[in-house]
Amino acid sequence: MPLEIIRADITTLHVDAIVNAANETLLGGGGVDGAIHRAAGPQLLAECRTLGGCKTGEAKLTRGYHLPAKYVIHTVGPVWQGGGCGEEALLTAAYRNSLLLAEEHHCESVAFPLISAGVYGYPKAQAIRVAVNTISAFLTDHELRVLLVIFDRAAFQISEQLFAGVQAYIDQHYVDAHTDDRSLQLRRMERYAAAKRPAFDQAPSCCEEAAPYAAPFPGTCGQSAAEGSESDLQHLLQQLDEGFADMLFRKIDEKGMKDSDCYKRANVDRKLFSKIRSNPQYRPSKATALAFAVALELSPEETAELLQKAGYALSHASKFDVIVEYFILHRNYNIFEINEALFAFDQKLLGA
Ligand code: APR
């Protein structure tokens, strides 16, 4: 998944580079800056002293020393002054210049804190939006794995207007209190199927007698149940419906999309996409199947069809499904916005 939003202490992450929300002196401070210097050890400060500071919106790189990360990219976000002093442009530049520096040093993975959202006072929901928009724009034409790290629940203030609609939809559709647990549902389904099925030893000699049970295919008449069932099976296997992969690639063609556009918009990495392309029987996870439905901007009906071909269905017993359904019904196919909402409601994210 090219962009993930996670809750973690950035100093613990095993990535190629972590980004430090520093100040222009680069001589350390509090917050994540202090945490990174403490974890990296005194050599980090010694190297920072040689850099001659860093302007707001720019980025400079050092080694990671005792950190699990190989590099630290020091960037300086803007101090929030109400939004009218170019703060958004400077914050965007801080993310973008850090990403470019990571790419310059052949990093394959980089982790960001929420720059400026602490001491510098940038409103958190806006800081997240700038981070997600800048990173996802960069990822449309760069191969990199990016983690946006939210340090603690308290830091992750969910702005009402951002998710109020989603919360209302969940309240209205999310069935949790009286949802049978899965095993009870499966037992019920098995009992129902058994009631519909003839007992094996009374199997009719040919399909006429089987009529009430709707013999699966014409032309099996006059054969024993055993013979009939074998040719039925062969017939069945010759008549497989269009599979998930077939529908996925048909929709990509119908939409006139490039493969790379589709998997990037689905927040799915290239390796997984190649696996699906090389194996028509490949069965994706539900989150991946839904991510492609979002990337292809499928209608609710087409989404249900694509999911069904992967063996899934949207369920109002799942908060994850209800949230994704909300965005599809509102024709909002921005997967990073959907992931922000999923993250805010403690759900796994869309994409591989
Ligand atoms: N891991 C991940 N995120 C963290 C960590 C951590 N260990 N510690 C803090 N954060 C988060 C905060 O919760 C906040 O959301 O990092 C975000 C940025 O907060 P600050 O560290 O305060 O950075 P910023 O708002 O950009 O202010 C920079 O603060 O520490 C000083 O020297 C720094 O002067 C500079 C100023």
Side-chain angles (χ1 to χ4, degrees):
M1 185 188 286
L3 170 59
E4 284 184 83
I5 306 174
I6 63 169
R7 250 185 214 112
D9 173 347
I10 201 167
T11 64
T12 65
L13 298 179
H14 291 259
V15 288
D16 290 338
I18 61 170
V19 176
N20 179 22
N23 58 57
E24 292 193 342
T25 68
L26 293 188
L27 299 180
V32 71
D33 194 2
I36 288 174
H37 275 273
R38 280 191 298 278
Q43 294 157 294
L44 179 62
L45 183 56
E47 186 176 354
C48 283
R49 287 190 197 287
T50 67
L51 297 178
C54 179
K55 286 202 180 68
T56 299
E58 293 185 5
K60 292 193 176 177
L61 178 134
T62 66
R63 288 175 49 208
Y65 299 104
H66 298 312
L67 287 162
K70 191 174 173 190
Y71 299 116
V72 179
I73 293 172
H74 306 267
T75 191
V76 183
V79 175
W80 179 255
Q81 302 174 69
C85 306
E87 293 96 323
E88 183 171 335
L90 284 168
L91 186 58
T92 301
Y95 281 102
R96 185 157 176 77
N97 288 325
S98 300
L99 288 163
L100 289 170
L101 205 48
E103 191 184 50
E104 240 174 75
H105 288 76
H106 311 296
C107 294
E108 291 184 359
S109 54
V110 60
F112 282 93
L114 217 45
I115 300 167
S116 287
V119 168
Y120 280 4
Y122 212 106
K124 288 173 180 53
Q126 294 177 56
I128 291 173
R129 184 54 49 90
V130 170
V132 169
N133 289 348
T134 310
I135 295 167
S136 49
F138 184 85
L139 291 176
T140 53
D141 44 18
H142 294 81
E143 294 290 336
L144 191 62
R145 183 163 164 261
V146 181
L147 300 177
L148 180 59
V149 180
I150 309 293
F151 184 50
D152 54 57
R153 181 180 290 278
F156 192 85
Q157 284 169 359
I158 299 166
S159 64
E160 278 315 298
Q161 72 275 10
L162 203 56
F163 299 121
V166 180
Q167 185 59 63
Y169 192 77
I170 291 174
D171 295 345
Q172 189 189 342
H173 293 83
Y174 177 51
V175 175
D176 55 357
H178 53 280
T179 302
D180 294 339
D181 69 82
R182 190 73 189 124
S183 54
L184 187 53
Q185 282 175 345
L186 289 176
R187 270 200 305 281
R188 278 215 189 108
M189 280 155 52
E190 184 43 42
R191 276 204 300 277
Y192 173 77
K196 295 281 289 173
R197 210 175 21 233
F200 187 75
D201 51 1
Q202 296 135 26
S205 58
C206 86
C207 59
E208 275 78 19
E209 290 167 47
Y213 300 101
F217 292 99
T220 52
C221 281
Q223 292 167 315
S224 74
E227 284 160 33
S229 60
E230 193 178 313
S231 64
D232 292 352
L233 187 56
Q234 278 161 3
H235 202 70
L236 191 70
L237 293 173
Q238 282 150 18
Q239 283 198 335
L240 289 179
D241 285 345
E242 178 189 51
F244 168 82
D246 299 331
M247 182 174 172
L248 172 66
F249 294 114
R250 172 168 61 83
K251 283 292 172 191
I252 290 174
D253 295 343
E254 283 174 11
K255 304 267 180 184
M257 289 173 86
K258 286 192 304 187
D259 286 357
S260 57
D261 293 339
C262 183
Y263 67 73
K264 284 181 191 280
R265 287 173 59 177
N267 199 25
V268 168
D269 59 32
R270 184 163 30 96
K271 286 194 276 299
L272 174 60
F273 189 82
S274 317
K275 227 188 259 179
I276 296 173
R277 178 169 277 295
S278 59
N279 173 7
Q281 298 305 317
Y282 185 86
R283 210 176 135 200
S285 70
K286 187 174 193 178
T288 301
L290 271 173
F292 280 117
V294 167
L296 291 163
E297 301 192 358
L298 298 186
S299 67
E301 298 70 28
E302 290 173 315
T303 298
E305 187 188 354
L306 186 67
L307 274 179
Q308 187 267 332
K309 291 180 186 302
Y312 304 111
L314 280 179
S315 155
H316 283 169
S318 150
K319 206 172 270 190
F320 174 88
D321 290 11
V322 167
I323 292 170
V324 177
E325 184 181 61
Y326 168 86
F327 281 89
I328 289 176
L329 286 172
H330 289 77
R331 295 281 187 270
N332 178 345
Y333 295 102
N334 181 324
I335 196 161
F336 299 106
E337 266 190 49
I338 298 173
N339 275 340
E340 271 179 58
L342 289 168
F343 178 81
F345 288 97
D346 267 342
Q347 301 300 307
K348 63 182 183 311
L349 305 186
L350 273 182

